[in-house]
Amino acid sequence: MANSPGLSQAPASSPVHICCGVQIVEETRPEFADIGRLTKRLVTRTIAAARAEESSAGRVLAGHLGPQETALPVAKAIWPAYDRVNVQTGIEAWLAQPGRSHTLVGLTEYKHRDLGLPDLLQGGRYSPGVGSVETEALPAGPDGETLACVQCGLYLVSDTDGGAAILLRGPEEHGLEDVRLEVTCAGQDRAPEIVAEIKRLSLDRNVFRGHVIAFGDEVFSHHRGGLLSFVDRPEVARDEVILPDEVLDGVERQVLGVAKHASRLLASGQHLRRGVLLYGVPGTGKTHTVRYLLGRLPGVTAVLLSGRALGMISEACSVARALQPSVIVVEDVDLIAEEREHYMGDSPLLFELLNEMDGLGQDMDVTFLLTTNRADLLEEALAARPGRVDHAVQLPVPDADARSRLIQLYQGNLELDLIDPQTVVARTEGVTASFIKELLRRAALQAAESDDANGQAAGETPIRVTDADMTAALDQLLDTRSAMTQVLLGGAPRRQHD
């Protein structure tokens, strides 16, 4: 076929494209300048790869452990996320022992990768590089102390027994959910021995031991194991706990008495584990009593569970077992009576709690302090599992004498200028401590507003409460339009559930 006018025939070896009726020839034959550029690019990449391999974690490990590093045994250990600060403490204590030195190397490109020491020992192009050490400051004491915890680091250790390497990895968002430690070194038994020693030091130097701690909102972050926070140990005097003597005496005997005589009881073959249930309508002082008991147990580890953290029952019991003597406080335990725990099939959390209580050895010095507003929701389950709760006591609505003492307790610096204080006591029959506390605050506010209206404001001087102020506050709280407030303050009976 003849060529079209105005078009030249392209070489057979060149690709031809037609655009707007015009042939466009793409020349593919390399020119000398192309060869130079390609050679330079290849050399650059080869050098970069060689340098990366030279500075990789695998090469660093080989340089520290010697040519036989790939054949060395590896020992491993795993801790829950809340123990991260204790693992760091244990490692640092082990490294600080006489005759031992180390270098800490940070790793790069480790996130979202299931890397362990065996992967690093194999080396290769996919081995992570070395870089700066990434740390996270975590609470390490009740007074704001923190400890820098390594996120992903390689400890190169030297001592009289030879070289060793420790890989430490902490939990990460959308990745690892626990704390992992891996050790390798020469000698078949030495790596497991190092892991065991770090475990022992982590427990012996546990930063939570002897303190009041709580699982917080971090439980619902990416850390499946949750995070623990320090809580100030409460200080509540005995005369601030307004309960009938026989009620408070019984609770003290079961909690404080067993703690005081634990050694003799154990030597006599008596069990130490105990469960105490405080129940009653809201506002009768259940939490206040728990605070008093914790204040009377200095040096005893207390783990607090409430609200959404109630799902951490298993973790709380694990901490309590490790750090005994200890107390586990479960507030509003009725909230878990019918709660279904997602990871335990159809078992209510209440039964998980009872199982944990049953699983503790008789000689374990662990106290369970449970509080509830709805003992009726627990009675059947507790009756079916006898021995889990040793002492159940109802905290009653305060009688006239108790209400009089509560007024004195919550008075603070108020000046109560009342003709007949018993009038207030009589009008508050059936209310709780919470109601009395709010009554005095409202009476003080009423008095302060009256002073302002009469031009008698006196700066920061104590407020003087008169019969008129107290009557106004009482009328306000007892008004039928405040029915919900009365219920919330324990000043009126709740409608029973069906």
Side-chain angles (χ1 to χ4, degrees), residues 210-284:
H211 298 294
V212 182
I213 52 180
F215 283 100
D217 289 340
E218 295 90 345
V219 171
F220 311 99
S221 68
H222 58 273
H223 297 308
R224 181 184 62 187
L227 290 180
L228 284 166
S229 58
F230 291 89
V231 180
D232 292 336
R233 190 173 294 273
E235 295 183 7
V236 178
R238 193 180 195 277
D239 59 6
E240 294 178 337
V241 183
I242 312 299
L243 290 174
D245 290 339
E246 64 276 12
V247 171
L248 185 54
D249 289 345
V251 173
E252 286 180 321
R253 185 177 300 110
Q254 193 67 14
V255 178
L256 307 180
V258 173
K260 180 179 180 180
H261 302 292
S263 297
R264 295 189 65 192
L265 287 169
L266 198 59
S268 302
Q270 302 303 305
H271 69 275
L272 301 182
R273 183 200 67 200
R274 59 266 195 208
V276 175
L277 175 65
L278 306 179
Y279 66 94
V281 299
T284 48

Side-chain angles (χ1 to χ4, degrees), residues 93-331:
W94 183 80
L95 292 171
Q97 292 176 351
R100 186 168 291 136
S101 62
H102 74 280
T103 299
L104 176 57
V105 177
L107 301 185
T108 62
E109 303 172 4
Y110 65 87
K111 293 185 177 180
H112 312 305
R113 297 176 63 183
D114 189 18
L115 286 173
L117 270 181
D119 303 296
L120 302 186
L121 293 171
Q122 293 298 325
R125 60 181 296 188
Y126 296 109
S127 178
V130 298
S132 58
V133 180
E134 182 182 348
T135 62
E136 181 180 1
L138 294 180
D143 298 318
E145 302 97 322
T146 60
L147 180 66
C149 297
V150 172
Q151 182 63 46
C152 184
L154 188 62
Y155 293 87
L156 306 177
V157 184
S158 299
D159 58 20
T160 55
D161 295 321
I166 301 175
L167 175 63
L168 175 63
R169 291 194 64 179
E172 60 187 58
E173 190 171 6
H174 309 306
L176 203 64
E177 295 179 325
D178 42 35
V179 183
R180 298 188 180 183
L181 179 78
E182 299 184 10
V183 178
T184 187
C185 56
Q188 190 66 29
D189 299 327
R190 191 183 176 215
E193 289 173 355
I194 293 175
V195 170
E197 181 65 5
I198 291 175
K199 279 185 173 182
R200 183 188 68 80
L201 291 168
S202 298
L203 181 59
D204 290 349
R205 299 169 182 249
N206 193 296
V207 300
F208 302 125
R209 186 184 301 277
H211 298 294
V212 182
I213 52 180
F215 283 100
D217 289 340
E218 295 90 345
V219 171
F220 311 99
S221 68
H222 58 273
H223 297 308
R224 181 184 62 187
L227 290 180
L228 284 166
S229 58
F230 291 89
V231 180
D232 292 336
R233 190 173 294 273
E235 295 183 7
V236 178
R238 193 180 195 277
D239 59 6
E240 294 178 337
V241 183
I242 312 299
L243 290 174
D245 290 339
E246 64 276 12
V247 171
L248 185 54
D249 289 345
V251 173
E252 286 180 321
R253 185 177 300 110
Q254 193 67 14
V255 178
L256 307 180
V258 173
K260 180 179 180 180
H261 302 292
S263 297
R264 295 189 65 192
L265 287 169
L266 198 59
S268 302
Q270 302 303 305
H271 69 275
L272 301 182
R273 183 200 67 200
R274 59 266 195 208
V276 175
L277 175 65
L278 306 179
Y279 66 94
V281 299
T284 48
K286 297 181 292 296
T287 299
H288 189 65
T289 303
V290 169
R291 288 172 53 81
Y292 161 69
L293 294 171
L294 295 183
R296 292 285 304 276
L297 293 168
V300 172
T301 306
V303 186
L304 310 183
L305 287 178
S306 62
R308 295 186 299 173
L310 289 170
M312 306 299 291
I313 290 170
S314 178
E315 289 80 359
C317 291
S318 178
V319 172
R321 279 192 296 266
L323 303 182
Q324 58 175 307
S326 56
V327 177
I328 300 176
V329 178
V330 185
E331 291 199 87

Side-chain angles (χ1 to χ4, degrees), residues 10 86 318 344 388:
N86 296 312
S318 178
M344 297 294 291
R388 308 309 183 274

Side-chain angles (χ1 to χ4, degrees), residues 15-29:
V16 178
H17 304 284
I18 305 297
C19 182
C20 300
V22 179
Q23 279 188 346
I24 299 177
V25 180
E26 182 178 332
E27 183 61 62
T28 59
R29 288 176 298 181

Side-chain angles (χ1 to χ4, degrees), residues 37-88:
R37 284 194 299 271
L38 291 172
T39 302
K40 183 178 180 180
R41 184 179 301 172
L42 178 61
V43 170
T44 300
R45 290 181 176 178
T46 302
I47 293 174
R51 288 177 177 174
E53 184 177 354
E54 192 172 298
S55 63
S56 69
R59 182 62 63 89
V60 171
L61 268 177
H64 179 68
L65 297 174
Q68 303 298 319
E69 83 279 1
T70 56
L72 297 178
V74 176
K76 304 178 181 180
I78 298 177
W79 287 264
Y82 59 76
D83 255 336
R84 182 180 176 190
V85 64
N86 296 312
V87 177
Q88 188 71 49

